[in-house]
């Protein structure tokens, strides 16, 4: 899958979590913003990272920035 396809696999909630995490938010902070448990955020972040084929948050940030510059997101 190319980068655009990987981002299209994300659910709306996974995308919300990714957007916040790449901007420096913690799982706990995202959970408070969205009104769910930190464990739910951790699960969504983990699923999103699997779909995006990245293993670490720095890799997630790097992919996100590349996608923005490519006009994918």
């Amino acid at each position: 899958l190319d980068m655009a396809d990987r981002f299209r696999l994300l659910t709306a909630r996974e995308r919300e979590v990714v957007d916040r995490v790449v901007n420096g938010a913690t799982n706990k902070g995202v959970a408070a913003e969205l009104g769910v448990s930190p464990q739910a955020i951790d699960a969504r972040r983990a699923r999103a990272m699997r779909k995006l084929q990245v293993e670490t948050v720095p890799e997630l940030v790097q992919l996100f920035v590349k996608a923005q510059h490519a006009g994918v997101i």
Side-chain angles (χ1 to χ4, degrees):
L1 295 173
D2 71 11
M3 187 171 30
D5 290 335
R6 288 185 275 167
F7 275 96
R8 278 193 284 274
L9 292 174
L10 299 180
T11 66
R13 281 298 203 172
E14 289 166 350
R15 178 60 192 272
E16 276 184 307
V17 171
V18 167
D19 288 346
R20 286 170 168 82
V21 168
V22 299
N23 285 299
T26 63
N27 284 356
K28 194 173 186 177
V30 176
E33 283 181 42
L34 300 181
V36 297
S37 73
Q39 294 83 1
I41 297 304
D42 190 48
R44 289 178 187 151
R45 182 184 48 78
R47 276 195 307 274
M49 289 175 67
R50 273 194 303 276
K51 289 178 182 180
L52 294 172
Q53 301 173 0
V54 296
E55 295 182 14
T56 67
V57 172
E59 287 177 352
L60 176 63
V61 172
Q62 185 178 29
L63 180 67
F64 191 87
V65 170
K66 279 184 187 177
Q68 282 184 318
H69 287 297
V72 170
I73 56 173

